[in-house]
Amino acid sequence: MNPFYEKQEGKLRISINEQLSFPEHLHSHTEFLYIIEGETQISIEGTVYNMKQGDCAIIFPEQIHSYHATGHNRLWLLIFDPNLAGSLQYTLQKFRPGRPWLPKASVPDDVRLAIERIYTLDMQKNPGLGSAWIQVILTLILPMLELTEENQPKSEGLTYQLVHYMTEHFREPLSLDTLAKALHVNKYYLSHTFSEKLHISFPQYLNYLRVEYAAEAMHMSQKPLAHIWEEAGFSSQRSFNRAFHAAMGMSPLAYRKSIP
């Protein structure tokens, strides 16, 4: 994970990240990734893409995706509500890219320009500019993505169901038993699904989601850490500190002090 710097305003969030690693997850927003330097690996709907400096990728709403840092890297991560895409909102919601990754040679120069403009944008003074620049990016890259209409229900697979459920409920008290009940499957089969499909255990996955929430809360507010770890779903400060250090490589207090 390790966000380097983050800005978020309403329905649009942009950040520069270093060594970004995060397990499979999904959300209703669109995600756009641009590699500033180094290399990284992303997985979208089970397909792995090795990305290098200057490459970009787009994750459509409700697509399962993950990040794995394969070495030093620095990247822009833009997450936005499809409503900001204007007339292109329908495309994001009803289609899927056959080619969600573009190599540097195929990325128009104006894509990087648009990302830079969004990153330096004062959203309170210019609320419409963020949406305009997002539409510039989409207009430039969507024709190159080999789009096909999405006809199959997204909720058929167990992997999708468990990722979706945990994304929605990670702040609540959760156990493998309660998750198995909610999804109407055997808990041992569910545990096997975590290890085989997500390559992580249930407790590790739950902690990742909670730590990410806590880290973002530290960027966005000055709430006491005790309030943050309770909101994130941790049962104690000790478990919060242990999980946070394991994921971020430092204590919550040190992480807060490192925020610009």
Side-chain angles (χ1 to χ4, degrees), residues 206-223:
L206 181 59
N207 281 340
Y208 261 115
L209 295 177
R210 289 173 171 173
V211 166
E212 172 70 3
Y213 176 90
E216 183 171 332
M218 288 185 219
H219 279 274
M220 301 308 300
S221 75
Q222 294 300 315
K223 290 180 181 179

Side-chain angles (χ1 to χ4, degrees), residues 76-210:
W76 268 304
L77 188 64
L78 173 65
I79 302 174
F80 60 91
D81 190 308
N83 290 332
L84 296 178
S87 61
L88 298 171
Q89 176 184 351
Y90 177 84
T91 301
L92 295 175
Q93 294 176 331
K94 299 298 182 181
F95 288 79
R96 287 293 177 265
R99 184 193 184 194
W101 162 80
L102 294 177
K104 180 179 180 179
S106 301
V107 180
D109 292 339
D110 285 343
V111 168
R112 175 161 184 148
L113 172 64
I115 287 285
E116 290 174 344
R117 292 293 185 267
I118 294 171
Y119 187 68
T120 58
L121 192 61
D122 186 332
M123 290 293 290
Q124 292 184 346
K125 292 183 179 179
N126 303 287
L129 279 180
S131 175
W133 283 117
I134 285 170
Q135 291 176 57
V136 167
I137 293 172
L138 295 175
T139 300
L140 290 170
I141 69 170
L142 287 181
M144 295 185 280
L145 300 183
E146 302 173 8
L147 299 175
T148 57
E149 191 163 4
E150 178 86 329
N151 295 316
Q152 297 298 321
K154 300 186 187 72
S155 58
E156 284 185 350
L158 177 60
T159 304
Y160 175 92
Q161 292 179 48
L162 72 87
V163 169
H164 186 272
Y165 187 89
M166 290 191 67
T167 301
E168 294 291 321
H169 298 278
F170 70 88
R171 295 170 60 191
E172 304 169 11
L174 271 183
S175 68
L176 197 59
D177 286 315
T178 57
L179 182 60
K181 277 186 180 179
L183 300 181
H184 308 290
V185 295
N186 181 281
K187 73 174 184 178
Y188 300 107
Y189 180 71
L190 193 59
S191 179
H192 178 75
T193 301
F194 272 99
S195 60
E196 290 297 314
K197 300 294 185 181
L198 302 182
H199 311 292
I200 192 172
S201 70
F202 166 76
Q204 289 174 318
Y205 188 77
L206 181 59
N207 281 340
Y208 261 115
L209 295 177
R210 289 173 171 173

Side-chain angles (χ1 to χ4, degrees), residues 23-87:
E24 276 79 359
H25 62 291
L26 57 83
H27 41 69
S28 61
H29 283 44
T30 304
E31 202 157 312
F32 182 78
L33 182 73
Y34 185 99
I35 308 300
I36 301 171
E37 59 185 51
E39 301 180 2
T40 196
Q41 191 178 80
I42 64 169
S43 172
I44 305 175
E45 298 290 332
T47 301
V48 176
Y49 303 90
N50 294 304
M51 299 181 61
K52 299 180 180 181
Q53 181 178 357
D55 297 351
C56 73
I58 186 168
I59 298 104
F60 280 40
E62 304 295 334
Q63 285 194 300
I64 296 176
H65 57 286
S66 64
Y67 301 100
H68 176 63
T70 55
H72 171 72
N73 64 54
R74 195 163 180 258
L75 52 92
W76 268 304
L77 188 64
L78 173 65
I79 302 174
F80 60 91
D81 190 308
N83 290 332
L84 296 178
S87 61

